[in-house]
Amino acid sequence: MAYTTIDNGKDYFNTLTWSGNNASPRSFTGLGFSPDWTWIKCRSDGAGHGLFDSVRGANKQLNSGGTGAEITNHQFGYLSSFDSDGFTLTEGTYSSYESGDTNMTGRTYVGWNWRGSDSNAVSNSDGSITSTVSANTTAGFSIVTYTSAAGGQTIGHGLGVKPDMYIIKERTTSGDDWFVYHSALGEGKKLRLSGTSAAESDTNIWQNTAPTTTVAYLQNDGGGVNQNTGGNQNYVGYFFNNVKGYSKFGSYTGNGSTDGTFVYTGFKPAFIIARSSDNVEGWTMVDNKREGFNVSNDFLYANTGSAEYDGATYTLIDILSNGFKWRNSNINGNGSGRNLIYMAFAEHPFVSSEGVPVTAG
């Protein structure tokens, strides 16, 4: 059996960086695919995250750094279309900051992009709630939307295998966090992408039941993932499973040293999010385009709108041909004795589908 079925991670995940110029509309190409999920963040200045996907509709923004409801045509700029090789940005309506979150002159930006089903989303009736799903089973990724119902429910995720991680957000009203399931923590715990709290024990939110190859379990918990008090609510979820040589959702123990813990992924990472699950810390985001060389990879936090942190100052991480190694004692990524969870996507696998080892370059 081949080591991997994906020789080029950029066929399914790719990062773009750009400098703002206030042009509206402004189109970007060069991804190598039509994205179905794009996550945009201003690097140089404080500004909200913008998460856009093709299932909800291109111009509908959610912010991972907060609990706000979905916003259509955001006043600080928004993604207006997913295109065949990239996406298009359009300015908003807020005077002097019409493109502040996406394309303002004098600011720099990053956009992380995932490839979905390459076709329209489909109805999925595997669960007790009918969901709408765009799934790429090759890449182990699906986008799921659904409307809540009373009590414990299930939703179909379309992956065909058990998901290793999912992130769910209520879209309709403000005040609900982004809730995270991670297989390394199990079905009795949850994390909040929009916050810094440690993993919380909760045998209710996921019904204390691991997901199956077809469905995820959700409970009406007064908010979060299946609220219907005062009327049914709309949700979106991003689901992932491990794909050898392309994606990994795992955990490790930090050592608190600049000669930090090495984390084996089986590929050269293009994108990593990591955080301590047992301490109050943020979600550190690193990729191979900012700055793109060891150990000076710049980083952002998924849970705040803060500007980018300079990797040359913090000497955070080495991105290697088969994983990553922390070069900092930061609790977020390498706190001594801390349990840390992560998600990572590949630039290329450690060994190709033909059995040929790749280099770190």
Side-chain angles (χ1 to χ4, degrees):
M1 179 181 291
Y3 178 84
T4 184
T5 58
I6 299 177
D7 283 331
N8 186 355
K10 289 189 291 185
D11 289 341
Y12 298 94
F13 171 83
N14 206 348
T15 301
L16 289 180
T17 60
W18 65 94
S19 296
N21 66 5
N22 279 353
S24 180
R26 183 180 181 186
S27 295
F28 294 86
T29 59
L31 281 183
F33 57 86
S34 178
D36 285 280
W37 183 31
T38 295
W39 184 336
I40 294 173
K41 178 67 180 75
C42 180
R43 302 169 57 191
S44 55
D45 296 77
H49 292 256
L51 282 73
F52 305 87
D53 66 70
S54 63
V55 180
R56 291 182 295 124
N59 60 340
K60 299 180 186 300
Q61 183 252 23
L62 286 165
N63 176 13
S64 65
T67 61
E70 179 179 274
I71 297 174
T72 301
N73 298 346
H74 198 286
Q75 63 181 342
F76 296 135
Y78 56 94
L79 187 150
S80 52
S81 68
F82 292 103
D83 307 327
S84 61
D85 190 36
F87 54 83
T88 296
L89 302 176
T90 297
E91 68 182 12
T93 57
Y94 194 96
S95 179
S96 300
Y97 288 90
E98 297 93 337
S99 297
D101 283 2
T102 55
N103 189 41
M104 184 174 176
T105 298
R107 294 187 173 187
T108 57
Y109 299 86
V110 60
W112 303 288
N113 303 272
W114 287 261
R115 180 179 174 181
S117 64
D118 293 333
S119 62
N120 293 331
V122 299
S123 179
N124 182 301
S125 57
D126 289 338
S128 57
I129 297 175
T130 298
S131 55
T132 301
V133 177
S134 172
N136 189 318
T137 56
T138 301
F141 167 60
S142 68
I143 305 166
V144 179
T145 61
Y146 63 95
T147 300
S148 61
Q153 303 289 340
T154 58
I155 55 166
H157 51 69
L159 293 176
V161 299
K162 292 181 181 181
D164 291 289
M165 182 175 177
Y166 35 94
I167 306 165
I168 294 177
K169 177 70 175 77
E170 194 270 309
R171 303 161 51 192
T172 314
T173 57
S174 295
D176 286 326
D177 281 300
W178 294 74
F179 288 101
V180 179
Y181 166 88
H182 198 291
S183 58
L185 301 177
E187 56 272 15
K189 290 190 175 181
K190 66 186 179 186
L191 282 164
R192 301 171 190 258
L193 181 66
S194 41
T196 60
S197 57
E200 303 163 59
S201 294
D202 188 342
T203 57
N204 187 45
I205 188 169
W206 316 122
Q207 297 188 51
N208 205 28
T209 305
T212 71
T213 58
T214 56
V215 300
Y217 290 80
L218 312 172
Q219 181 61 264
N220 185 342
D221 59 351
V225 298
N226 186 37
Q227 175 180 340
N228 76 323
T229 305
N232 293 347
Q233 307 296 321
N234 296 319
Y235 290 81
V236 63
Y238 304 106
F239 286 72
F240 310 91
N241 63 266
N242 290 321
V243 175
K244 189 175 183 180
Y246 169 71
S247 63
K248 185 72 174 175
F249 308 88
S251 65
Y252 60 96
T253 302
N255 68 6
S257 169
T258 54
D259 183 16
T261 297
F262 167 71
V263 182
Y264 177 81
T265 59
F267 52 81
K268 180 182 180 182
F271 177 72
I272 303 162
I273 300 181
R275 66 151 293 166
S276 168
S277 65
D278 54 8
N279 199 63
V280 178
E281 295 296 339
W283 297 77
T284 305
M285 310 176 78
V286 180
D287 62 62
N288 61 347
K289 301 290 180 68
R290 304 170 302 122
E291 292 289 329
F293 55 87
N294 297 330
V295 290
S296 298
N297 292 287
D298 298 336
F299 64 99
L300 290 157
Y301 288 117
N303 54 286
T304 77
S306 300
E308 184 175 81
Y309 292 81
D310 181 11
T313 300
Y314 290 92
T315 57
L316 189 72
I317 193 171
D318 282 344
I319 294 177
L320 307 171
S321 62
N322 58 353
F324 56 94
K325 184 177 178 67
W326 293 99
R327 294 296 188 180
N328 191 299
S329 59
N330 187 293
I331 293 175
N332 288 16
N334 191 38
S336 179
R338 296 294 184 187
N339 181 68
L340 299 112
I341 56 99
Y342 69 92
M343 61 187 296
F345 298 88
E347 178 179 340
H348 52 64
F350 185 46
V351 179
S352 75
S353 61
E354 296 179 348
V356 179
V358 298
T359 64

